[in-house]
Amino acid sequence: MYVLQIEYPIADYDAWKAAFDDDRLDRAGSGVRRYRILQPTDDPNYVVIDLEFDDAGEAEAYLAALQRAVYSSQEASPAVGSAPQTRIVEVVEMMEY
């Protein structure tokens, strides 16, 4: 499994979440299997998103689409405070207790 991790400050969680829920890039159709939205306990104006993919190529293609269609302009992502930090990681081990 591959995870596209994205994190950045946001101006307003509700506005950001509405844009996230709009799903402009069709997460499911782009190979996203599941996502998680996390926030630091001490900062409600910051989000960390984990998007899980079966294939690294799908994660790379989705990140490229995000950079082109969403992160390229303030108008396309008005609730985002600054350029996101992104990385694609591979899950090499996982255990649930």
Side-chain angles (χ1 to χ4, degrees), residues 14-53:
D14 292 333
W16 173 84
K17 183 64 164 73
F20 182 85
D21 288 344
D22 187 43
D23 196 13
R24 293 176 52 185
L25 298 177
D26 183 22
R27 283 186 292 274
S30 298
V32 177
R33 304 307 249 161
R34 83 178 47 88
Y35 69 81
R36 293 186 317 179
I37 300 170
L38 304 103
Q39 285 187 292
T41 57
D42 63 347
D43 190 352
N45 293 318
Y46 198 86
V47 292
V48 178
I49 304 110
D50 287 347
L51 304 172
E52 294 183 9
F53 296 83

Side-chain angles (χ1 to χ4, degrees), residues 4-93:
L4 169 55
Q5 296 179 324
I6 306 164
E7 57 183 271
Y8 47 78
I10 55 172
D12 176 325
Y13 181 83
D14 292 333
W16 173 84
K17 183 64 164 73
F20 182 85
D21 288 344
D22 187 43
D23 196 13
R24 293 176 52 185
L25 298 177
D26 183 22
R27 283 186 292 274
S30 298
V32 177
R33 304 307 249 161
R34 83 178 47 88
Y35 69 81
R36 293 186 317 179
I37 300 170
L38 304 103
Q39 285 187 292
T41 57
D42 63 347
D43 190 352
N45 293 318
Y46 198 86
V47 292
V48 178
I49 304 110
D50 287 347
L51 304 172
E52 294 183 9
F53 296 83
D54 289 332
D55 180 84
E58 290 174 328
E60 291 164 1
Y62 193 81
L63 176 56
L66 276 172
Q67 290 168 334
R68 264 190 326 272
V70 179
Y71 301 145
S72 62
S73 74
Q74 186 65 32
E75 295 79 34
S77 54
V80 175
S82 66
Q85 293 183 11
T86 63
R87 71 186 143 273
I88 297 171
V89 297
E90 181 178 9
V91 176
V92 295
E93 183 172 337

